[in-house]
Amino acid sequence: MIPAVLICGYLGAGKTTLVNRLLNRRSDRRLVVLVNDFGGINIDKDLIVDADEAVISLENGCACCTIQNSLGDSLDAAQAMRPDAIVLEASGVALPQKIAAFVDGWPGIRLAGSITLADCLNLEALLTDKFVAPLVRDQIRGSSRIVLTKEDLASDRGLEAVSDCIASLNPGAAVSIGSSSLVVDELIEGIEAGADVPAHVVSHLAFDTATFTATGTFEREGLTMALENLPKDVWRVKGFVYLDESKGSARRHSVQRVGNRTSIEPERERAPSPISENSVVFIAPKGLIDLAKCVAIFAELISRR
Amino acid sequence: MTVNDEKLTIFPARSIITMERAMPRASAIAIKGDRIVEVGSIETMQPWLDNRPFEIDDRFRDKVIMPGFIDPHLHPSMAAILLNMHFITALEWQLPWQRVPAVKTPEAFQARLEELVSKDAGREPIFTWGHHPIWHGEVNRAGLDELSPDRPLIVWHRGYHSLVVNTAALKWMQIDEDNARRHIHVDLERGYFCETGLSVAFRSINRYVLDKERFTAGLERLKQVVHLGGHTTIGDMATGMYDFDLEWGSLKSVFERDDTPFRIDLIPTHGAFGGRGGPPNDEQLDAIVNARSMNTHRLRFGNQIKMFSDGGFFAELMQLGEPGFIDPLHHGEWLTPPETFEATARAYWNRGLHVHVHCTGDLGLELALDTLAKLLDERPRFDHRFTIEHLGVSTPEQARRMAALGAAASVNVYYVHELSDSFYKHVLGYERASQMSRLGTLMENGITTAIHSDYTMSPAMPLFNAWVAANRITEAGTVMGASERLTLDQALQTITTNAAFVLGRENEIGTLRAGKYADFTVLDADPYDLPIDELKDIPVHGTVFEGKPYDLPR
């Protein structure tokens, strides 16, 4: 039977980031990843290996409406690709217990584990949100493994408060902080095996995208201003920019924005590149705004010195 | 144009209920082709009769004519699957080919199963629908094996929650026993599949129930069901819920024929053309708008889109605000994440579509109303026809807000009849259960309110559902939420005038007046002559669709 790992958590909890990290590892096993949310996993080809475009969607619904059974079809499609393991990114409104029961009982598949991601910055707000508080509570309660994400942006006190909150909701859970490669390693460990084969992503999109590309280096202030000036309808920003550091050197930074939250993080050491190539992808719902114009304004602002 | 094309047909009647304020009653109706020429009396029609050839058709002289009934929300595709099954139900169902008697005890259920197996000499698997443990007790594999050792037997739950099968069915479904045994929602010894385990069963059953020929046969049956209810217009309120091409192809081949006495408005479901997980892209928006180019005489795409907020009401997956469910561990479900819901609704709104939202719980409704308020703020529209579908649990304040925001309502009121008693005891408590489907408050707030069957969730019987709206009598015989009852006038509006508005067809159907389609529902008795609690018992004699009479088999 093929082992499957389930990644749960509300919208913005960091599921896509974790999936990206999984896919970017050089690994011995061949993964098929089922992606539910409109996160645009395969947008940034620099972050993703060998993306596949089949449509897979994992939906809620009662049996009468879901007789067509898209999750089951998706699992069958995934199995047919003969992977060493399957990773499912659950819908942001899915209950881990429910999907776990589904996956664990599906012919040919056994559940290796499920993990719920919780965004440190947003968790407390979600737990009082008028629409999703009970759902987010149940998502925390529904996995034996909780990972706190965006910990780098939380204060120590904030982190403590969130940890306490999780401990009170799900006292038995193994809680780790940071959706780092360590967590990815631990997640993978249960399903490890095989040779160095790139992973496959299965996803679908309903977005406009536009890409800013440039060579050269930029200043952090310019980048920050350029990001702040983007209209809120730009849902996601992801990519990398070379930022000036002391003594005339520059370092590649990973740039991410989800909703209001922006992160600019130095990447680990890379082989020096003679040309600093920058690339930032902008994602917005199809047809809502003029992304080309956004990119033009972004290009202007980021270049200010 | 020859004079003969101008020939009028006059139908005198015992009475004509026009649903028009200016002329509520009439005694004759003149039509030409598919349209009404004049409503009134033979005397008042004289100027037409003096100038046009005409014939008087006396067939309805002792009948009562109403505007053709409209059910703006049912699901032909779901019905096509279910109508191929044998109904064994706790409440009575009237089907064109049989009256399904109420089966209220385990013994009666067994007896009915036995009868089915012994009468049906074929080899096909036997599916039954309607099993409910409250009435019918437990059914298990061993018991079914005894009844039917060789023939696959599949017993499906009334609320679609679970199914029980015999050994022959397990074999027919090619269920891998080792695999099924480890599934927490499959009990192989009992032959029982529930919740996520249902999918394991559907995996095999789908090939059979969604087979094109069988699906088409189910739609043929639906045609009779819709006629029997007295409908002349229905709305397919989620075209593409299973497979758009299969559905459209089958609907066209079955319904675009002269023996179909009704038209169908098709409202595509979000995701019908792909992209169910997020807001629609331009291509998908275009596909929805361009679906109109496929319109035929009876099948019509309009300017509408169906979206989903929270889970199903029969499945108890509605999202509730405070104080939630009696069972503290039970929660509803979002069918669309709130953020995604908003972005999706915005895309449709900005494209000018009329958004219809499935909302079953008060929190689900709150999401729809919050979204509507934002959209109105961003891009104000008048006459936007944002319509709340189902409206199981709601608050009076929400009704008032719906009015303020200009929303319309299409309500499943049958919930009150079948569910309010059990929801009172097990799910919601009395206060909220007694006020589900609060039609009275909606009407009082001036909201255009229709009712629907959501068939096969409820029977496609407009007079029966209007009876529930006016009486709020449960299957146990008690009245729930008496102050939410409608008057007879209002109850009849919900299946005619207001239902036409909800489908955006108020200029064509819904009342009887000059210029509208000649769509009639013909009754044997006048609802205004009878006590209101007898509304459901009035026989539908037949219908007239676009001027052509379609009698019901006696």
Side-chain angles (χ1 to χ4, degrees):
Chain A
M1 269 186 287
I2 300 174
V5 170
L6 183 57
I7 300 176
C8 295
Y10 195 65
L11 302 187
K15 299 189 291 296
T16 306
T17 307
L18 181 54
V19 167
N20 276 330
R21 285 181 181 158
L22 268 170
L23 293 170
N24 276 294
R25 293 160 41 84
R26 294 186 71 77
S27 163
D28 291 342
R29 88 210 68 68
R30 185 163 182 271
L31 291 183
V32 170
V33 182
L34 304 192
V35 183
N36 180 76
D37 274 340
F38 36 86
I41 285 278
N42 61 351
I43 293 292
D44 188 342
K45 303 283 194 229
D46 199 68
L47 293 175
I48 301 295
V49 198
D50 197 10
D52 193 325
E53 295 248 336
V55 174
I56 298 244
S57 76
L58 319 177
E59 294 152 31
N60 275 356
C62 55
C64 52
C65 324
T66 52
I67 187 168
Q68 194 78 320
N69 192 8
S70 55
L71 176 51
D73 290 348
S74 305
L75 288 172
D76 283 344
Q79 287 191 67
M81 293 163 81
R82 302 191 172 281
D84 297 315
I86 296 171
V87 175
L88 285 94
E89 181 197 6
S91 146
V93 290
L95 286 175
Q97 308 93 307
K98 192 170 169 183
I99 306 266
F102 191 114
V103 171
D104 201 28
W106 195 252
I109 293 178
R110 71 176 170 81
L111 189 73
S114 88
I115 181 171
T116 293
L117 305 182
D119 169 1
C120 284
L121 300 180
N122 214 10
L123 184 67
E124 286 178 295
L126 287 175
L127 286 171
T128 54
D129 182 271
K130 92 169 156 175
F131 295 122
V132 298
L135 167 70
V136 172
R137 265 201 311 271
D138 283 351
Q139 287 178 334
I140 299 289
R141 286 176 176 145
S143 282
S144 54
R145 183 77 207 254
I146 312 291
V147 174
L148 301 181
T149 59
K150 304 178 190 175
E151 73 292 347
D152 46 331
L153 297 162
S155 66
D156 288 351
R157 263 178 68 189
L159 204 53
E160 203 175 312
V162 169
S163 306
D164 288 351
C165 176
I166 297 222
S168 72
L169 283 172
N170 188 350
V175 182
S176 48
I177 296 175
S179 163
S180 66
S181 60
L182 181 65
V183 174
V184 176
D185 281 338
E186 286 174 19
L187 182 70
I188 297 277
E189 226 127 81
I191 54 174
E192 193 86 58
D196 193 348
V197 180
H200 282 253
V201 184
V202 191
S203 73
H204 87 269
L205 304 167
F207 290 93
D208 283 324
T209 67
T211 308
F212 160 78
T213 53
T215 53
T217 63
F218 298 93
E219 285 183 1
R220 181 179 282 266
E221 279 156 21
L223 173 61
T224 308
M225 188 170 41
L227 287 169
E228 279 171 0
N229 266 287
L230 288 170
K232 71 176 187 340
D233 283 326
V234 178
W235 281 5
R236 297 255 173 142
V237 178
K238 55 210 289 184
F240 44 85
V241 172
Y242 283 84
L243 294 183
D244 293 329
E245 291 192 331
S246 54
K247 298 171 202 156
S249 69
R251 189 171 191 182
R252 196 169 112 150
H253 283 64
S254 144
V255 178
Q256 296 255 2
R257 192 179 89 157
V258 182
N260 289 327
R261 213 183 67 66
T262 304
S263 76
I264 303 169
E265 286 176 4
E267 291 192 337
R268 297 224 173 85
E269 294 301 326
R270 297 172 66 94
S273 151
I275 311 166
S276 302
E277 282 184 0
N278 304 277
S279 170
V280 182
V281 180
F282 301 83
I283 306 163
K286 271 263 188 232
L288 264 197
I289 49 169
D290 185 351
L291 268 186
K293 200 170 146 198
C294 292
V295 171
I297 296 170
F298 183 89
E300 204 232 302
L301 292 174
I302 194 177
S303 307
R304 285 195 187 169
R305 289 193 178 251
Chain B
M1 192 169 280
T2 67
V3 169
N4 224 23
D5 289 336
E6 292 299 307
K7 186 169 170 186
L8 310 181
T9 304
I10 320 296
F11 293 104
R14 168 142 63 95
S15 187
I16 296 171
I17 301 170
T18 67
M19 303 303 290
E20 283 283 339
R21 187 177 177 279
M23 187 193 281
R25 288 282 178 161
S27 58
I29 189 161
I31 68 168
K32 178 174 76 77
D34 58 0
R35 298 281 176 162
I36 298 169
V37 163
E38 175 134 348
V39 179
S41 64
I42 300 280
E43 292 73 42
T44 59
M45 285 171 190
Q46 210 53 52
W48 286 96
L49 308 187
D50 291 343
N51 288 286
R52 299 281 179 94
F54 67 92
E55 62 174 0
I56 296 200
D57 187 329
D58 262 335
R59 70 177 80 203
F60 303 135
R61 191 171 278 284
D62 63 343
K63 304 292 178 194
V64 175
I65 296 178
M66 284 195 63
F69 294 159
I70 301 163
D71 185 335
H73 183 150
L74 45 72
H75 298 292
S77 303
M78 209 189 284
I81 292 171
L82 210 67
L83 288 171
N84 287 320
M85 303 182 182
H86 298 281
F87 282 37
I88 312 179
T89 50
L91 304 193
E92 185 181 307
W93 282 67
Q94 191 68 50
L95 298 174
W97 46 92
Q98 101 187 92
R99 188 186 66 83
V100 181
V103 168
K104 296 212 182 226
T105 64
E107 297 72 32
F109 191 85
Q110 289 296 326
R112 182 82 186 98
L113 270 182
E114 259 174 62
E115 190 190 339
L116 278 179
V117 174
S118 65
K119 270 192 182 165
D120 186 341
R123 290 185 172 182
E124 299 280 293
I126 296 176
F127 285 84
T128 76
W129 172 78
H131 177 257
H132 201 302
I134 289 179
W135 309 100
H136 305 135
E138 198 204 315
V139 174
N140 59 40
R141 177 177 168 184
L144 295 180
D145 280 348
E146 222 169 281
L147 274 171
S148 176
D150 309 316
R151 186 86 176 273
L153 196 52
I154 294 129
V155 176
W156 205 6
H157 187 273
R158 162 67 174 101
Y160 316 93
H161 283 174
S162 61
L163 48 85
V164 185
V165 307
N166 66 353
T167 304
L170 286 173
K171 221 168 123 191
W172 173 73
M173 289 155 66
Q174 298 175 326
I175 294 289
D176 170 358
E177 299 219 355
D178 288 341
N179 200 76
R181 222 177 285 279
R182 69 191 172 89
H183 197 301
I184 62 166
H185 292 148
V186 178
D187 183 342
L188 210 54
E189 310 318 315
R190 285 170 58 211
Y192 181 76
F193 299 76
C194 70
E195 298 187 40
T196 66
L198 274 176
S199 302
V200 176
F202 288 149
R203 190 190 196 211
S204 334
I205 290 174
N206 272 354
R207 285 193 299 271
Y208 184 82
V209 300
L210 289 175
D211 166 74
K212 189 157 193 275
E213 218 166 284
R214 204 164 280 108
F215 189 76
T216 305
L219 287 178
E220 293 283 359
R221 297 190 138 196
L222 176 71
K223 186 187 293 192
Q224 299 175 49
V225 168
V226 170
H227 187 208
L228 183 73
H231 305 88
T232 53
T233 303
I234 59 171
D236 176 359
M237 193 50 79
T239 311
M241 68 190 299
Y242 298 128
D243 175 330
F244 184 86
D245 292 332
L246 167 70
E247 292 172 34
W248 169 247
S250 309
L251 288 168
K252 201 161 67 167
S253 74
V254 172
F255 294 110
E256 193 43 75
R257 292 204 316 246
D258 284 344
D259 68 347
T260 307
F262 53 89
R263 65 179 72 79
I264 308 181
D265 278 1
L266 301 131
I267 294 89
T269 185
H270 168 61
F273 301 99
R276 202 161 287 197
N281 61 27
D282 281 345
E283 201 182 320
Q284 288 148 2
L285 282 170
D286 287 344
I288 288 159
V289 172
N290 294 338
R292 282 172 229 172
S293 65
M294 305 193 290
N295 287 356
T296 66
H297 183 76
R298 286 176 172 78
L299 304 181
R300 192 158 97 169
F301 290 93
N303 192 34
Q304 297 129 325
I305 185 75
K306 171 77 176 296
M307 290 180 56
F308 292 85
S309 175
D310 51 345
F313 204 62
F314 275 89
E316 297 171 25
L317 290 173
M318 58 282 194
Q319 284 283 8
L320 294 179
E322 291 294 338
F325 291 86
I326 291 176
D327 174 358
L329 297 179
H330 183 75
H331 296 301
E333 222 174 50
W334 292 110
L335 296 185
T336 316
E339 290 86 339
T340 311
F341 180 89
E342 184 184 315
T344 304
R346 178 176 291 114
Y348 290 126
W349 178 271
N350 289 346
R351 190 65 187 250
L353 291 165
H354 296 165
V355 179
H356 291 249
V357 186
H358 158 115
C359 299
T360 54
D362 54 339
L363 199 60
L365 175 57
E366 192 73 4
L367 173 62
L369 296 182
D370 280 6
T371 303
L372 175 57
K374 275 186 201 168
L375 298 177
L376 279 167
D377 190 43
E378 291 169 14
R379 190 183 282 207
R381 275 166 73 189
F382 291 102
D383 199 24
H384 50 70
R385 310 281 171 118
F386 193 98
T387 304
I388 304 299
E389 302 283 336
H390 303 324
L391 207 119
V393 175
S394 64
T395 68
E397 291 79 8
Q398 286 178 321
R400 194 164 173 171
R401 191 172 177 216
M402 282 173 67
L405 297 173
S410 177
V411 178
N412 188 335
V413 73
Y414 183 81
Y415 291 157
V416 177
H417 182 64
E418 180 152 343
L419 297 178
S420 65
D421 197 54
S422 73
F423 276 27
Y424 144 40
K425 287 162 184 153
H426 309 291
V427 182
L428 296 169
Y430 184 83
E431 183 186 353
R432 284 178 298 163
S434 67
Q435 296 171 29
M436 58 173 63
S437 310
R438 58 170 75 255
L439 292 172
T441 305
L442 294 173
M443 287 281 192
E444 193 177 271
N445 279 281
I447 295 163
T448 303
T449 304
I451 60 173
H452 62 244
S453 67
D454 197 12
Y455 195 71
T456 49
M457 291 294 161
S458 316
M461 289 288 181
L463 280 182
F464 185 91
N465 290 319
W467 169 83
V468 179
N471 295 280
R472 296 182 71 90
I473 295 173
T474 67
E475 44 87 17
T478 53
V479 172
M480 281 291 222
S483 61
E484 293 292 347
R485 287 179 300 197
L486 297 186
T487 64
L488 181 56
D489 282 341
Q490 290 172 328
L492 294 179
Q493 283 164 19
T494 64
I495 55 173
T496 56
T497 332
N498 294 359
F501 181 89
V502 158
L503 288 177
R505 282 187 179 265
E506 68 276 17
N507 292 321
E508 298 167 303
I509 56 175
T511 67
L512 299 177
R513 66 159 171 77
K516 284 198 175 181
Y517 278 120
D519 291 354
F520 315 150
T521 301
V522 183
L523 305 178
D524 280 342
D526 189 329
Y528 290 84
D529 287 348
L530 297 169
I532 199 163
D533 62 354
E534 290 177 23
L535 186 58
K536 68 179 168 55
D537 305 317
I538 297 175
V540 175
H541 172 79
T543 58
V544 172
F545 174 65
E546 295 185 352
K548 189 175 164 196
Y550 290 83
D551 286 351
L552 278 162
R554 289 288 100 188

